Amino acid sequence: MTTTTPTIDDATVAELTERVYRAQTDAAAMTKLTVDHPSLTVNDGYLIQNALRARFLADGHRLVGWKAGLTSKAKMAQMGVDQPTVGFLTDRMAVAQGTAIDITRLVHPRVETEVAFVLGADLPTEGCTADDVVAATSYLVPAIEVIDSRYEAFSFDLQSVIADNSSSARFVVGSNGTRLSADPGFDRTTLGMALWRNGELVDTGASAAVLGDPAASVALVATIVGSLGAQLTAGMVVLSGGITQAVAVEPGDHISARFQTIGDVDIRFV
Ligand code: OOG
Ligand code: MG
């Protein structure tokens, strides 16, 4: 990721980081970065994301984990991109079950259901495998991610979405973790999932939608994050990627995700 030569200078990285930071903190839609900077690369997108992370940490936000983006066919088709991405997660994005999310703080939020991995050990920054991930994982938890592209009409290209921290906005995880090692017959790749909105079934899926194995997705995140000069470490939560298409939400909505074996997670919007 950080191996190719940037097409933008440091001043431009700083300027675009500020633009994304403002859009995120003011919940104000912006135009795609590639409109002004058509030659922007994926690598440039990650330079901006790195600077954005530093900016939030300087504000006192705490890094609590990372996420995979665009790891399922449903998500890639919905967003018109063909490559997974990563984004960072902070304590300010974490929402406790039972609390309501204020939609006025977001531009045009959507929800997606994901399998979250809670790490009990550090992951390698190079050549990480699904087996490494399984060995390092304390437990799996069901998660709802609230994504919110800061780009107008939720429309972007790969470079722009990476700069916008892969649309990260909020996330909520279920309260009961499932130990990966507890049941030798437990198959993490075929966990069924149903997504409900206000008591109505919206979508269904299985964990295999995420690169065939959500642990493979976490391994990919470990490697990409390593290339950014960071690391997935013990205690972090990793969202392995949306299983189905993301669903737009409105004030008053109650969203519930029910997973086979690993449990349920709920969130309300006001
Ligand atoms: C990019 C973020 C995607 C996922 O799980 O695929 C993502 C987007 O679709 O806005 O978080
Ligand atoms: Mg997601």
Side-chain angles (χ1 to χ4, degrees):
M1 294 308 131
T2 47
T3 47
T4 55
T5 312
T7 70
I8 45 176
D9 59 20
D10 291 351
T12 309
V13 171
E15 178 209 316
L16 295 180
T17 303
E18 185 63 20
R19 195 189 293 183
V20 175
Y21 175 85
R22 285 279 148 230
Q24 294 197 356
T25 49
D26 299 346
M30 60 181 166
T31 51
K32 277 186 289 210
L33 302 189
T34 44
V35 172
D36 296 348
H37 298 274
S39 65
L40 208 71
T41 63
V42 162
N43 181 59
D44 297 333
Y46 278 117
L47 288 178
I48 297 164
Q49 189 190 112
N50 266 352
L52 186 71
R53 173 160 46 93
R55 174 78 205 250
F56 279 116
L57 297 186
D59 281 354
H61 299 210
R62 206 162 45 79
L63 183 70
V64 297
W66 289 85
K67 67 170 233 184
L70 307 161
T71 41
S72 68
K73 288 206 175 80
K75 288 283 316 184
M76 289 193 210
Q78 181 180 27
M79 304 321 303
V81 299
D82 60 359
Q83 256 183 63
T85 66
V86 304
F88 60 88
L89 302 174
T90 70
D91 58 337
R92 310 294 173 93
M93 299 177 192
V95 178
Q97 278 210 87
T99 26
I101 293 177
D102 179 1
I103 268 179
T104 63
R105 301 296 314 135
L106 302 168
V107 183
H108 36 213
R110 295 178 177 178
V111 291
E112 44 191 32
T113 50
E114 312 206 5
V115 177
F117 288 64
V118 178
L119 300 180
D122 300 353
L123 284 175
T125 52
E126 277 176 42
C128 184
T129 66
D131 285 344
D132 293 333
V133 171
V134 171
T137 298
S138 296
Y139 45 90
L140 299 184
V141 270
I144 295 173
E145 183 181 15
V146 181
I147 54 169
D148 187 31
S149 175
R150 270 56 59 155
Y151 296 113
E152 284 156 0
F154 223 114
S155 160
F156 49 69
D157 42 50
L158 202 56
Q159 305 88 302
S160 297
V161 71
I162 288 168
D164 185 28
N165 194 20
S166 294
S167 308
S168 303
R170 302 283 187 277
F171 68 96
V172 52
V173 297
S175 42
N176 289 320
T178 301
R179 291 209 173 272
L180 265 173
S181 55
D183 173 8
F186 174 75
D187 180 0
R188 64 179 186 270
T189 70
T190 54
L191 297 170
M193 182 282 301
L195 175 64
W196 303 74
R197 180 185 178 192
N198 305 326
E200 234 173 82
L201 182 66
V202 179
D203 214 339
T204 58
S207 54
V210 174
L211 299 179
D213 174 0
S217 176
V218 174
L220 181 66
V221 173
T223 303
I224 298 177
V225 166
S227 75
L228 301 180
Q231 188 176 11
L232 301 192
T233 56
M236 282 186 169
V237 58
V238 188
L239 301 178
S240 60
I243 292 171
T244 62
Q245 286 200 5
V247 176
V249 285
E250 291 171 8
D253 279 350
H254 172 246
I255 303 292
S256 168
R258 303 187 203 159
F259 282 81
Q260 178 188 7
T261 310
I262 64 169
D264 303 345
V265 56
D266 285 88
I267 196 73
R268 278 186 314 116
F269 291 86
V270 290

